[in-house]
Amino acid sequence: FLLSSVSSGINAEYGGASIRACSCNIHSTQNEVAAALAEAGTSMFGWKNMTEKDFWWCIDQCVAGSFEKNENDKNDAPNALWANMILDDGGDLTHHLYKNYPERFNSICGIVEENIAGIHRLYQMSRQGKLPAPVMNVNDSVTKTKFDNLYASRESVTDAIKRSTDCMIGGKLVVVLGYGEVGKGCAAAFQGIGCIVMVTECDPICAIQACMQGFRIVRLEDVVHYADIVVTCTGNKNVVTREHMNKMKKGCILANMGHNSVEIDVASLTTQELRWERIRSQVHHIHWPDGKYIILLAKGGLANHNCSSIPSFVISVTATTQALALIELFKAPPTRYKPDVYLLPKKMDEYVASLHLTIFNAHLTELTREQAAFLNINRTGPFKNQHYKY
């Protein structure tokens, strides 16, 4: 299959899949992982800190090529030498394929997308009737949302800032933009380390959740002039503008934890009156004419991917979810899934969680037949309906 998430590639290799892989963004590829995939025989296109031009070249090389026919493959159809599954992270690979090689979707059984930006684009295609294949939305699966978004962010955001800047974080005033799962994890991390945490939100439900955790809901323009650290977690565009950055105090740290590299208007900082100074890898001081500077991490890209790391346990949970989604789409009868976006079945979500409980030496309580009948559920699950909010 085609893969736009290098971190999942080795797991797929061990699963016996034939893979063509590329990077899902220009900054976060781990060259060691890419090299290991290439050495194992995977067609791998991507490296850390590519240019935008290189990024799209790599995607094109990934989708334009074909696979060598496996000697054990008895399929003589013309499509046997091309991909039948897509695993995407952000939707760039899927959209490039749709725009430039639409005929190749004739062999695609399904698409698995793990990123909120990619899911939004695929839902939009679905509403327009342009979706070329069934899509499994693993971004909104419970295991992925909690571990990849909430728990991973909680552990990596402060690590990324400390590794990059060597600064003491406790006691700082931190503004977290967005209180979704990523924002919840970041806010909890800063609160736990002794920071004063404020949150910006446009959604009243998320805002009241933040209030109940003791966070003050503010507008960025009202507090940006005395914030020590500003972290974006919205998935939206230009939530930190040049006007905001002009008001930031000297030494303010600016980092992005949302997927989109456009959350911070970095392009507005490439003007003649501002001077960029590279301090170390992924750390720049942006100097204003009056002597002020702000500290920008990863040029506005993902701070945790570029300045820290993702825990292997989180990768395991996410990769297991992706693998089950791929298997489900590939093995499903042709009539089960039409070209639309589907949530991962709850039973699979629970299975992913149960596989990882052994690490904690956890022992689940088993329901009696009487208890299961009282709740009107199966003794072995699923234990919640598809729309239950954990």
Side-chain angles (χ1 to χ4, degrees), residues 243-282:
E243 184 178 358
H244 292 133
M245 291 181 277
N246 286 340
K247 296 178 181 179
M248 289 178 179
K249 71 179 187 180
K250 182 178 181 179
C252 179
I253 298 171
L254 181 56
N256 171 36
M257 288 289 291
H259 176 77
N260 290 320
S261 58
V262 295
E263 297 209 19
I264 302 168
D265 186 10
V266 176
S268 69
L269 298 175
T270 56
T271 54
Q272 290 185 349
E273 72 272 17
L274 299 184
R275 179 171 63 89
W276 285 60
E277 179 187 8
R278 184 182 182 275
I279 303 302
R280 60 173 67 162
S281 177
Q282 307 298 341

mmCIF file of all heavy atoms in Angstrom, residues 243-282:
data_model
loop_
_atom_site.group_PDB
_atom_site.id
_atom_site.type_symbol
_atom_site.label_atom_id
_atom_site.label_comp_id
_atom_site.label_asym_id
_atom_site.label_seq_id
_atom_site.Cartn_x
_atom_site.Cartn_y
_atom_site.Cartn_z
ATOM 1 N N GLU A 243 0.439 40.772 13.966
ATOM 2 C CA GLU A 243 0.010 41.761 14.961
ATOM 3 C C GLU A 243 0.206 41.213 16.377
ATOM 4 O O GLU A 243 0.660 41.934 17.281
ATOM 5 C CB GLU A 243 -1.447 42.143 14.732
ATOM 6 C CG GLU A 243 -1.947 43.234 15.672
ATOM 7 C CD GLU A 243 -3.384 43.619 15.398
ATOM 8 O OE1 GLU A 243 -3.992 43.080 14.451
ATOM 9 O OE2 GLU A 243 -3.905 44.468 16.149
ATOM 10 N N HIS A 244 -0.147 39.940 16.587
ATOM 11 C CA HIS A 244 0.077 39.321 17.898
ATOM 12 C C HIS A 244 1.565 39.295 18.231
ATOM 13 O O HIS A 244 1.979 39.624 19.348
ATOM 14 C CB HIS A 244 -0.464 37.893 17.918
ATOM 15 C CG HIS A 244 -1.957 37.801 17.839
ATOM 16 N ND1 HIS A 244 -2.596 36.934 16.981
ATOM 17 C CD2 HIS A 244 -2.935 38.475 18.491
ATOM 18 C CE1 HIS A 244 -3.902 37.063 17.132
ATOM 19 N NE2 HIS A 244 -4.130 37.990 18.037
ATOM 20 N N MET A 245 2.380 38.888 17.256
ATOM 21 C CA MET A 245 3.812 38.739 17.504
ATOM 22 C C MET A 245 4.485 40.077 17.741
ATOM 23 O O MET A 245 5.463 40.172 18.488
ATOM 24 C CB MET A 245 4.456 37.966 16.348
ATOM 25 C CG MET A 245 4.021 36.499 16.315
ATOM 26 S SD MET A 245 4.778 35.519 15.000
ATOM 27 C CE MET A 245 3.711 35.929 13.596
ATOM 28 N N ASN A 246 3.979 41.121 17.113
ATOM 29 C CA ASN A 246 4.510 42.462 17.367
ATOM 30 C C ASN A 246 4.330 42.866 18.831
ATOM 31 O O ASN A 246 5.127 43.637 19.375
ATOM 32 C CB ASN A 246 3.810 43.489 16.480
ATOM 33 C CG ASN A 246 4.263 43.420 15.027
ATOM 34 O OD1 ASN A 246 5.332 42.888 14.724
ATOM 35 N ND2 ASN A 246 3.465 43.954 14.133
ATOM 36 N N LYS A 247 3.294 42.346 19.481
ATOM 37 C CA LYS A 247 2.980 42.709 20.858
ATOM 38 C C LYS A 247 3.648 41.798 21.890
ATOM 39 O O LYS A 247 3.609 42.091 23.085
ATOM 40 C CB LYS A 247 1.462 42.690 21.070
ATOM 41 C CG LYS A 247 0.705 43.722 20.256
ATOM 42 C CD LYS A 247 -0.795 43.602 20.489
ATOM 43 C CE LYS A 247 -1.576 44.618 19.668
ATOM 44 N NZ LYS A 247 -3.041 44.484 19.863
ATOM 45 N N MET A 248 4.235 40.684 21.432
ATOM 46 C CA MET A 248 4.867 39.763 22.376
ATOM 47 C C MET A 248 6.072 40.411 23.036
ATOM 48 O O MET A 248 6.757 41.243 22.438
ATOM 49 C CB MET A 248 5.295 38.475 21.666
ATOM 50 C CG MET A 248 4.136 37.592 21.256
ATOM 51 S SD MET A 248 4.700 36.112 20.375
ATOM 52 C CE MET A 248 3.122 35.309 20.072
ATOM 53 N N LYS A 249 6.338 40.015 24.277
ATOM 54 C CA LYS A 249 7.472 40.591 24.991
ATOM 55 C C LYS A 249 8.774 39.902 24.576
ATOM 56 O O LYS A 249 8.772 38.819 23.967
ATOM 57 C CB LYS A 249 7.257 40.494 26.490
ATOM 58 C CG LYS A 249 7.358 39.094 27.073
ATOM 59 C CD LYS A 249 7.142 39.144 28.578
ATOM 60 C CE LYS A 249 7.410 37.806 29.229
ATOM 61 N NZ LYS A 249 7.196 37.854 30.698
ATOM 62 N N LYS A 250 9.873 40.519 24.931
ATOM 63 C CA LYS A 250 11.184 39.977 24.600
ATOM 64 C C LYS A 250 11.375 38.593 25.220
ATOM 65 O O LYS A 250 11.128 38.383 26.403
ATOM 66 C CB LYS A 250 12.270 40.927 25.122
ATOM 67 C CG LYS A 250 13.690 40.491 24.780
ATOM 68 C CD LYS A 250 14.694 41.508 25.276
ATOM 69 C CE LYS A 250 16.124 41.110 24.930
ATOM 70 N NZ LYS A 250 17.103 42.127 25.393
ATOM 71 N N GLY A 251 11.776 37.646 24.388
ATOM 72 C CA GLY A 251 12.055 36.298 24.865
ATOM 73 C C GLY A 251 10.854 35.380 24.915
ATOM 74 O O GLY A 251 10.981 34.230 25.368
ATOM 75 N N CYS A 252 9.697 35.831 24.457
ATOM 76 C CA CYS A 252 8.511 34.966 24.447
ATOM 77 C C CYS A 252 8.760 33.760 23.543
ATOM 78 O O CYS A 252 9.266 33.887 22.429
ATOM 79 C CB CYS A 252 7.293 35.747 23.952
ATOM 80 S SG CYS A 252 5.774 34.758 23.869
ATOM 81 N N ILE A 253 8.411 32.588 24.032
ATOM 82 C CA ILE A 253 8.585 31.344 23.270
ATOM 83 C C ILE A 253 7.290 31.040 22.530
ATOM 84 O O ILE A 253 6.211 31.018 23.134
ATOM 85 C CB ILE A 253 8.952 30.178 24.199
ATOM 86 C CG1 ILE A 253 10.283 30.459 24.904
ATOM 87 C CG2 ILE A 253 9.018 28.860 23.415
ATOM 88 C CD1 ILE A 253 10.607 29.470 26.005
ATOM 89 N N LEU A 254 7.397 30.785 21.230
ATOM 90 C CA LEU A 254 6.228 30.533 20.383
ATOM 91 C C LEU A 254 6.365 29.158 19.743
ATOM 92 O O LEU A 254 7.349 28.878 19.044
ATOM 93 C CB LEU A 254 6.121 31.616 19.311
ATOM 94 C CG LEU A 254 4.954 31.554 18.322
ATOM 95 C CD1 LEU A 254 3.611 31.528 19.048
ATOM 96 C CD2 LEU A 254 5.014 32.722 17.350
ATOM 97 N N ALA A 255 5.399 28.289 20.000
ATOM 98 C CA ALA A 255 5.477 26.911 19.505
ATOM 99 C C ALA A 255 4.111 26.455 18.998
ATOM 100 O O ALA A 255 3.073 26.920 19.472
ATOM 101 C CB ALA A 255 5.957 25.975 20.613
ATOM 102 N N ASN A 256 4.130 25.532 18.062
ATOM 103 C CA ASN A 256 2.910 24.968 17.483
ATOM 104 C C ASN A 256 2.809 23.491 17.815
ATOM 105 O O ASN A 256 3.748 22.734 17.574
ATOM 106 C CB ASN A 256 2.910 25.165 15.963
ATOM 107 C CG ASN A 256 1.782 24.405 15.273
ATOM 108 O OD1 ASN A 256 0.687 24.289 15.800
ATOM 109 N ND2 ASN A 256 2.055 23.876 14.103
ATOM 110 N N MET A 257 1.678 23.083 18.394
ATOM 111 C CA MET A 257 1.427 21.669 18.673
ATOM 112 C C MET A 257 0.271 21.113 17.848
ATOM 113 O O MET A 257 -0.053 19.941 17.931
ATOM 114 C CB MET A 257 1.135 21.480 20.156
ATOM 115 C CG MET A 257 2.341 21.641 21.061
ATOM 116 S SD MET A 257 3.522 20.290 20.923
ATOM 117 C CE MET A 257 2.578 18.955 21.677
ATOM 118 N N GLY A 258 -0.385 21.984 17.067
ATOM 119 C CA GLY A 258 -1.438 21.521 16.173
ATOM 120 C C GLY A 258 -0.822 20.974 14.902
ATOM 121 O O GLY A 258 0.356 21.221 14.601
ATOM 122 N N HIS A 259 -1.570 20.242 14.116
ATOM 123 C CA HIS A 259 -0.958 19.623 12.933
ATOM 124 C C HIS A 259 -0.536 20.644 11.893
ATOM 125 O O HIS A 259 0.529 20.563 11.316
ATOM 126 C CB HIS A 259 -1.920 18.620 12.285
ATOM 127 C CG HIS A 259 -1.372 18.042 11.007
ATOM 128 N ND1 HIS A 259 -0.403 17.058 11.006
ATOM 129 C CD2 HIS A 259 -1.610 18.333 9.703
ATOM 130 C CE1 HIS A 259 -0.083 16.766 9.750
ATOM 131 N NE2 HIS A 259 -0.795 17.513 8.954
ATOM 132 N N ASN A 260 -1.386 21.605 11.627
ATOM 133 C CA ASN A 260 -1.123 22.509 10.520
ATOM 134 C C ASN A 260 0.052 23.432 10.811
ATOM 135 O O ASN A 260 0.143 24.032 11.873
ATOM 136 C CB ASN A 260 -2.363 23.368 10.236
ATOM 137 C CG ASN A 260 -3.492 22.549 9.652
ATOM 138 O OD1 ASN A 260 -3.262 21.686 8.822
ATOM 139 N ND2 ASN A 260 -4.709 22.807 10.090
ATOM 140 N N SER A 261 0.966 23.566 9.835
ATOM 141 C CA SER A 261 2.093 24.480 9.976
ATOM 142 C C SER A 261 1.698 25.916 9.687
ATOM 143 O O SER A 261 2.543 26.807 9.671
ATOM 144 C CB SER A 261 3.228 24.068 9.029
ATOM 145 O OG SER A 261 2.778 24.044 7.685
ATOM 146 N N VAL A 262 0.398 26.155 9.461
ATOM 147 C CA VAL A 262 -0.070 27.511 9.174
ATOM 148 C C VAL A 262 -0.750 28.148 10.377
ATOM 149 O O VAL A 262 -1.310 29.237 10.267
ATOM 150 C CB VAL A 262 -1.050 27.513 7.968
ATOM 151 C CG1 VAL A 262 -0.347 27.086 6.711
ATOM 152 C CG2 VAL A 262 -2.261 26.614 8.238
ATOM 153 N N GLU A 263 -0.721 27.503 11.539
ATOM 154 C CA GLU A 263 -1.341 28.085 12.723
ATOM 155 C C GLU A 263 -0.675 29.405 13.095
ATOM 156 O O GLU A 263 -1.323 30.362 13.517
ATOM 157 C CB GLU A 263 -1.290 27.110 13.897
ATOM 158 C CG GLU A 263 -2.074 25.837 13.654
ATOM 159 C CD GLU A 263 -2.615 25.221 14.929
ATOM 160 O OE1 GLU A 263 -2.709 25.917 15.951
ATOM 161 O OE2 GLU A 263 -2.950 24.028 14.893
ATOM 162 N N ILE A 264 0.640 29.453 12.957
ATOM 163 C CA ILE A 264 1.405 30.672 13.183
ATOM 164 C C ILE A 264 1.720 31.287 11.823
ATOM 165 O O ILE A 264 2.207 30.599 10.921
ATOM 166 C CB ILE A 264 2.716 30.368 13.938
ATOM 167 C CG1 ILE A 264 2.418 29.696 15.287
ATOM 168 C CG2 ILE A 264 3.529 31.644 14.148
ATOM 169 C CD1 ILE A 264 3.646 29.099 15.949
ATOM 170 N N ASP A 265 1.436 32.574 11.668
ATOM 171 C CA ASP A 265 1.676 33.246 10.384
ATOM 172 C C ASP A 265 3.164 33.528 10.234
ATOM 173 O O ASP A 265 3.620 34.678 10.332
ATOM 174 C CB ASP A 265 0.846 34.526 10.304
ATOM 175 C CG ASP A 265 0.938 35.191 8.940
ATOM 176 O OD1 ASP A 265 1.483 34.556 8.008
ATOM 177 O OD2 ASP A 265 0.484 36.345 8.805
ATOM 178 N N VAL A 266 3.935 32.472 9.980
ATOM 179 C CA VAL A 266 5.385 32.594 9.877
ATOM 180 C C VAL A 266 5.779 33.416 8.650
ATOM 181 O O VAL A 266 6.781 34.142 8.667
ATOM 182 C CB VAL A 266 6.035 31.198 9.830
ATOM 183 C CG1 VAL A 266 7.544 31.302 9.627
ATOM 184 C CG2 VAL A 266 5.734 30.433 11.120
ATOM 185 N N ALA A 267 4.987 33.334 7.588
ATOM 186 C CA ALA A 267 5.309 34.082 6.365
ATOM 187 C C ALA A 267 5.392 35.577 6.631
ATOM 188 O O ALA A 267 6.184 36.295 5.997
ATOM 189 C CB ALA A 267 4.260 33.787 5.293
ATOM 190 N N SER A 268 4.606 36.071 7.576
ATOM 191 C CA SER A 268 4.613 37.504 7.871
ATOM 192 C C SER A 268 5.890 37.951 8.573
ATOM 193 O O SER A 268 6.140 39.149 8.727
ATOM 194 C CB SER A 268 3.403 37.854 8.745
ATOM 195 O OG SER A 268 3.538 37.308 10.053
ATOM 196 N N LEU A 269 6.709 36.985 9.004
ATOM 197 C CA LEU A 269 7.965 37.308 9.679
ATOM 198 C C LEU A 269 9.141 37.414 8.716
ATOM 199 O O LEU A 269 10.256 37.744 9.129
ATOM 200 C CB LEU A 269 8.282 36.240 10.738
ATOM 201 C CG LEU A 269 7.283 36.086 11.891
ATOM 202 C CD1 LEU A 269 7.674 34.922 12.782
ATOM 203 C CD2 LEU A 269 7.181 37.371 12.698
ATOM 204 N N THR A 270 8.907 37.128 7.447
ATOM 205 C CA THR A 270 9.987 37.180 6.444
ATOM 206 C C THR A 270 9.982 38.532 5.751
ATOM 207 O O THR A 270 9.789 38.623 4.542
ATOM 208 C CB THR A 270 9.828 36.034 5.429
ATOM 209 O OG1 THR A 270 8.520 36.123 4.830
ATOM 210 C CG2 THR A 270 9.983 34.684 6.107
ATOM 211 N N THR A 271 10.164 39.580 6.538
ATOM 212 C CA THR A 271 10.205 40.943 6.007
ATOM 213 C C THR A 271 11.567 41.556 6.307
ATOM 214 O O THR A 271 12.312 41.073 7.168
ATOM 215 C CB THR A 271 9.101 41.811 6.640
ATOM 216 O OG1 THR A 271 9.221 41.742 8.073
ATOM 217 C CG2 THR A 271 7.719 41.309 6.246
ATOM 218 N N GLN A 272 11.910 42.641 5.611
ATOM 219 C CA GLN A 272 13.248 43.205 5.687
ATOM 220 C C GLN A 272 13.591 43.750 7.069
ATOM 221 O O GLN A 272 14.756 43.729 7.480
ATOM 222 C CB GLN A 272 13.406 44.314 4.633
ATOM 223 C CG GLN A 272 13.431 43.793 3.205
ATOM 224 C CD GLN A 272 13.713 44.902 2.204
ATOM 225 O OE1 GLN A 272 13.689 46.078 2.563
ATOM 226 N NE2 GLN A 272 13.990 44.528 0.965
ATOM 227 N N GLU A 273 12.579 44.255 7.791
ATOM 228 C CA GLU A 273 12.889 44.873 9.079
ATOM 229 C C GLU A 273 13.168 43.855 10.185
ATOM 230 O O GLU A 273 13.681 44.210 11.246
ATOM 231 C CB GLU A 273 11.761 45.815 9.514
ATOM 232 C CG GLU A 273 10.473 45.137 9.964
ATOM 233 C CD GLU A 273 9.506 44.865 8.817
ATOM 234 O OE1 GLU A 273 9.956 44.902 7.647
ATOM 235 O OE2 GLU A 273 8.327 44.606 9.104
ATOM 236 N N LEU A 274 12.822 42.584 9.956
ATOM 237 C CA LEU A 274 13.058 41.549 10.956
ATOM 238 C C LEU A 274 14.286 40.716 10.581
ATOM 239 O O LEU A 274 14.516 40.421 9.403
ATOM 240 C CB LEU A 274 11.846 40.636 11.090
ATOM 241 C CG LEU A 274 10.532 41.291 11.529
ATOM 242 C CD1 LEU A 274 9.451 40.237 11.704
ATOM 243 C CD2 LEU A 274 10.707 42.087 12.809
ATOM 244 N N ARG A 275 15.040 40.307 11.583
ATOM 245 C CA ARG A 275 16.248 39.499 11.363
ATOM 246 C C ARG A 275 16.097 38.143 12.038
ATOM 247 O O ARG A 275 15.777 38.066 13.229
ATOM 248 C CB ARG A 275 17.476 40.224 11.907
ATOM 249 C CG ARG A 275 18.787 39.446 11.750
ATOM 250 C CD ARG A 275 19.984 40.304 12.115
ATOM 251 N NE ARG A 275 19.932 40.710 13.520
ATOM 252 C CZ ARG A 275 20.457 39.993 14.519
ATOM 253 N NH1 ARG A 275 21.036 38.810 14.269
ATOM 254 N NH2 ARG A 275 20.394 40.441 15.759
ATOM 255 N N TRP A 276 16.343 37.088 11.271
ATOM 256 C CA TRP A 276 16.288 35.729 11.798
ATOM 257 C C TRP A 276 17.692 35.311 12.247
ATOM 258 O O TRP A 276 18.658 35.475 11.499
ATOM 259 C CB TRP A 276 15.781 34.754 10.739
ATOM 260 C CG TRP A 276 14.315 34.812 10.477
ATOM 261 C CD1 TRP A 276 13.605 35.892 10.045
ATOM 262 C CD2 TRP A 276 13.379 33.743 10.600
ATOM 263 N NE1 TRP A 276 12.278 35.576 9.896
ATOM 264 C CE2 TRP A 276 12.110 34.260 10.226
ATOM 265 C CE3 TRP A 276 13.476 32.418 10.990
ATOM 266 C CZ2 TRP A 276 10.957 33.474 10.235
ATOM 267 C CZ3 TRP A 276 12.339 31.629 10.991
ATOM 268 C CH2 TRP A 276 11.098 32.157 10.629
ATOM 269 N N GLU A 277 17.775 34.738 13.428
ATOM 270 C CA GLU A 277 19.037 34.219 13.931
ATOM 271 C C GLU A 277 18.839 32.763 14.346
ATOM 272 O O GLU A 277 18.042 32.463 15.228
ATOM 273 C CB GLU A 277 19.517 35.037 15.134
ATOM 274 C CG GLU A 277 20.833 34.532 15.726
ATOM 275 C CD GLU A 277 21.207 35.252 17.008
ATOM 276 O OE1 GLU A 277 20.379 36.035 17.529
ATOM 277 O OE2 GLU A 277 22.331 35.019 17.506
ATOM 278 N N ARG A 278 19.585 31.852 13.710
ATOM 279 C CA ARG A 278 19.496 30.441 14.049
ATOM 280 C C ARG A 278 20.329 30.181 15.299
ATOM 281 O O ARG A 278 21.549 30.393 15.300
ATOM 282 C CB ARG A 278 19.988 29.567 12.903
ATOM 283 C CG ARG A 278 19.844 28.068 13.153
ATOM 284 C CD ARG A 278 20.400 27.268 11.974
ATOM 285 N NE ARG A 278 20.221 25.830 12.159
ATOM 286 C CZ ARG A 278 21.053 25.042 12.823
ATOM 287 N NH1 ARG A 278 22.142 25.562 13.399
ATOM 288 N NH2 ARG A 278 20.826 23.744 12.925
ATOM 289 N N ILE A 279 19.691 29.754 16.361
ATOM 290 C CA ILE A 279 20.373 29.483 17.617
ATOM 291 C C ILE A 279 20.889 28.055 17.660
ATOM 292 O O ILE A 279 22.023 27.787 18.052
ATOM 293 C CB ILE A 279 19.436 29.746 18.812
ATOM 294 C CG1 ILE A 279 18.911 31.180 18.773
ATOM 295 C CG2 ILE A 279 20.145 29.459 20.134
ATOM 296 C CD1 ILE A 279 19.997 32.234 18.783
ATOM 297 N N ARG A 280 20.065 27.136 17.267
ATOM 298 C CA ARG A 280 20.418 25.721 17.146
ATOM 299 C C ARG A 280 19.367 25.095 16.246
ATOM 300 O O ARG A 280 18.460 25.774 15.778
ATOM 301 C CB ARG A 280 20.459 25.030 18.514
ATOM 302 C CG ARG A 280 19.143 25.074 19.269
ATOM 303 C CD ARG A 280 19.160 24.241 20.544
ATOM 304 N NE ARG A 280 20.052 24.779 21.552
ATOM 305 C CZ ARG A 280 19.973 24.446 22.826
ATOM 306 N NH1 ARG A 280 19.049 23.560 23.242
ATOM 307 N NH2 ARG A 280 20.787 24.947 23.713
ATOM 308 N N SER A 281 19.460 23.806 16.015
ATOM 309 C CA SER A 281 18.476 23.133 15.174
ATOM 310 C C SER A 281 17.063 23.342 15.715
ATOM 311 O O SER A 281 16.814 23.138 16.903
ATOM 312 C CB SER A 281 18.787 21.628 15.115
ATOM 313 O OG SER A 281 17.801 20.941 14.365
ATOM 314 N N GLN A 282 16.172 23.814 14.869
ATOM 315 C CA GLN A 282 14.751 24.020 15.174
ATOM 316 C C GLN A 282 14.484 25.183 16.129
ATOM 317 O O GLN A 282 13.374 25.319 16.637
ATOM 318 C CB GLN A 282 14.116 22.736 15.744
ATOM 319 C CG GLN A 282 14.307 21.496 14.911
ATOM 320 C CD GLN A 282 13.683 21.597 13.537
ATOM 321 O OE1 GLN A 282 12.814 22.429 13.288
ATOM 322 N NE2 GLN A 282 14.124 20.751 12.614
#
